[in-house]
Amino acid sequence: MMMLNFAKMHGLGNDFVVIDAITQHVALTREHVRFLADRHFGVGCDQLLLVEASTQAGVDFRYRIFNADGGEVEQCGNGARCFAKFVRDRKLTQLDVIRVETNSGLIVLHVESDGQVTVDMGLPRFDPHEIPFEAPVREPEYALVVNGESMLVGAVSVGNPHAVLCVADVDSAPVAQLGPLIESHGSFPRRVNVGFMQIVSADHVRLRVYERGVGETLACGTGACAAVVVGRMWGELLEEVKVDLPGGQLLIHWTGPGHSVRMTGPAVTVFEGVVALPAS
């Protein structure tokens, strides 16, 4: 039986089990991840975050993300903020600027003086093959047929794939109905995170996100980035936008094509513990 030290953390209610794989031996199976994520029999989380030693010179850590269904994914913005707080709290680093490798490339985490964390998420990617999304050419929006109904979506990768829909009111948006249908739509070969965005003003949006392999969460950092990027490409939003999610507010800054997306928000440690993993 494997005993693991862990921390339970959240970023605006998007919650994580965070495990240090530098100072302890960790060998997780898909079943282990599902067990840890289970809110009845395990610890309970939207995603599991693994802190590993870097494999690249000049980079401080490696960051791996597993969804509640056990599948490994490329990026998680709320998790990245928790990652920064975790490695500082655990004395794994004293740096204020932390360079981290992920499955989608390098990200840079800035720990602010007030404890909030700004994440440089890198360049958004719009070419369909980079998202990935099946479309003959790049467009600002695409017609997607779902259950026989055509709807317009923006598609972008901010380290992971996102589809963004503009809705009149997020409170009444059919997230539970449309979310899983778009997530598994055949046009997205690796599935997709689905954002339902209400534009309040040019510097303020409301957002709900149905996350790939998780379902609707209280907050999604990459989803907030994707929504602002798509909204700016549509000509609807300014460079700096407040994004209200069910769990709280993020600040997203994106100058435009050729520039990185920056996200600022909180990270909170809920508790720490030791868990016994069942034999797999």
Side-chain angles (χ1 to χ4, degrees):
M1 182 177 294
M2 187 190 309
M3 305 294 293
L4 282 182
N5 294 297
F6 72 91
K8 175 68 180 286
M9 305 184 73
H10 78 84
L12 301 182
N14 187 192
D15 63 338
F16 310 97
V17 167
V18 189
I19 296 175
D20 170 10
I22 296 176
T23 64
Q24 62 182 339
H25 174 71
V26 179
L28 296 178
T29 66
R30 191 181 188 103
E31 289 70 29
H32 286 149
V33 175
R34 287 176 172 171
F35 165 76
L36 288 166
D38 191 284
R39 298 187 185 278
H40 299 286
F41 298 101
V43 179
C45 63
D46 294 322
Q47 281 102 8
L48 182 144
L49 312 180
L50 207 55
V51 180
E52 296 184 343
S54 171
T55 64
Q56 303 177 27
V59 179
D60 303 301
F61 297 98
R62 184 179 182 211
Y63 169 37
R64 297 176 67 192
I65 308 108
F66 297 84
N67 278 344
D69 64 0
E72 186 169 4
V73 294
E74 305 92 339
Q75 186 54 282
C76 174
N78 286 324
R81 300 197 312 279
C82 289
F83 185 104
K85 178 173 173 56
F86 180 89
V87 296
R88 293 256 304 202
D89 289 352
R90 291 294 179 99
K91 304 295 191 293
L92 296 173
T93 185
Q94 294 181 337
L95 296 171
D96 293 327
V97 179
I98 306 167
R99 295 167 61 83
V100 181
E101 61 177 286
T102 74
N103 284 346
S104 64
L106 182 72
I107 60 172
V108 183
L109 316 177
H110 301 256
V111 181
E112 309 291 353
S113 58
D114 63 358
Q116 293 208 103
V117 179
T118 296
V119 185
D120 184 329
M121 299 293 292
L123 299 175
R125 286 168 275 181
F126 301 97
D127 289 342
H129 74 278
E130 291 184 300
I131 295 173
F133 175 63
E134 293 185 358
V137 295
R138 171 179 162 178
E139 301 282 357
E141 58 186 4
Y142 304 88
L144 199 69
V145 178
V146 180
N147 262 7
E149 179 184 350
S150 181
M151 58 191 66
L152 294 176
V153 303
V156 64
S157 171
V158 285
N160 55 7
H162 286 265
V164 180
L165 297 79
C166 195
V167 298
D169 179 16
V170 290
D171 294 328
S172 60
V175 177
Q177 294 74 36
L178 285 182
L181 296 176
I182 298 174
E183 176 206 19
S184 59
H185 194 280
S187 295
F188 295 96
R190 295 183 192 168
R191 297 187 296 166
V192 70
N193 302 285
V194 189
F196 296 78
M197 174 174 64
Q198 174 189 344
I199 298 176
V200 179
S201 64
D203 64 353
H204 182 201
V205 303
R206 301 178 67 207
L207 181 71
R208 291 169 65 188
V209 181
Y210 190 95
E211 291 198 46
R212 176 182 57 169
V214 180
E216 185 177 2
T217 58
L218 291 175
C220 177
T222 57
C225 293
V228 171
V229 164
V230 167
R232 280 193 49 71
M233 295 300 286
W234 287 343
E236 299 286 345
L237 299 177
L238 299 175
E239 291 184 5
E240 191 164 272
V241 180
K242 299 185 294 291
V243 180
D244 287 338
L245 298 130
Q249 187 177 91
L250 291 172
L251 185 65
I252 308 300
H253 185 277
W254 186 54
T255 305
H259 296 272
S260 296
V261 187
R262 293 171 65 88
M263 169 190 59
T264 301
V268 176
T269 300
V270 183
F271 62 86
E272 298 181 356
V274 180
V275 63
L277 294 182
S280 58

